[in-house]
């Protein structure tokens, strides 16, 4: 219990000491992100993300085409199977 109380007190005090003289601008990540982007460190990541968007569109188009063609092939197969299984009407029905 003593160690838990000391740990909780230390955690609370560390947050207090870190933020007591802090400005709101100290917690703004935009300048750091801007420096990283301007330095060119994220260029490879940005290129991959842009290419991934086009790859996803291409995959979706191929999937739609495959679904349409497989549905057409299934309909043709079902029609041929029905033509084979349904008996032909006889000419003389009495």
């Amino acid at each position: 219990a003593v160690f838990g109380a000391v740990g909780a007190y230390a955690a609370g005090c560390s947050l207090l000491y870190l933020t007591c003289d802090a400005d709101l601008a100290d917690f703004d990540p935009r300048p750091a992100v801007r420096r990283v982007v301007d330095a060119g460190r994220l260029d490879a990541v940005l290129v991959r993300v842009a290419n991934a968007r086009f790859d996803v569109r291409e995959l979706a188009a191929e999937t739609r085409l495959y679904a349409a063609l497989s549905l057409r092939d299934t309909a043709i197969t079902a029609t041929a199977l029905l033509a084979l299984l349904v008996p032909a009407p006889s000419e003389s029905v009495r």
Side-chain angles (χ1 to χ4, degrees):
V2 173
F3 289 122
V6 170
Y9 179 75
C13 287
S14 65
L15 290 175
L16 175 68
Y17 292 136
L18 286 174
T19 60
C20 65
D21 63 346
D23 260 348
L24 188 59
D26 294 336
F27 297 101
D28 188 14
R30 288 178 289 183
V33 172
R34 188 176 303 122
R35 283 191 304 268
V36 169
V37 170
D38 289 342
R41 294 181 187 159
L42 293 178
D43 288 345
V45 174
L46 294 174
V47 167
R48 289 186 186 214
V49 168
N51 288 340
R53 182 180 63 197
F54 296 118
D55 291 342
V56 168
R57 287 181 184 167
E58 185 177 321
L59 177 67
E62 288 177 1
T63 303
R64 281 192 299 266
L65 178 64
Y66 178 75
L69 290 178
S70 65
L71 183 62
R72 185 191 69 167
D73 289 343
T74 304
I76 290 171
T77 304
T79 305
L81 184 63
L82 283 174
L84 288 174
L85 294 178
V86 174
S90 61
E91 293 181 14
S92 61
V93 178
R94 289 186 194 195

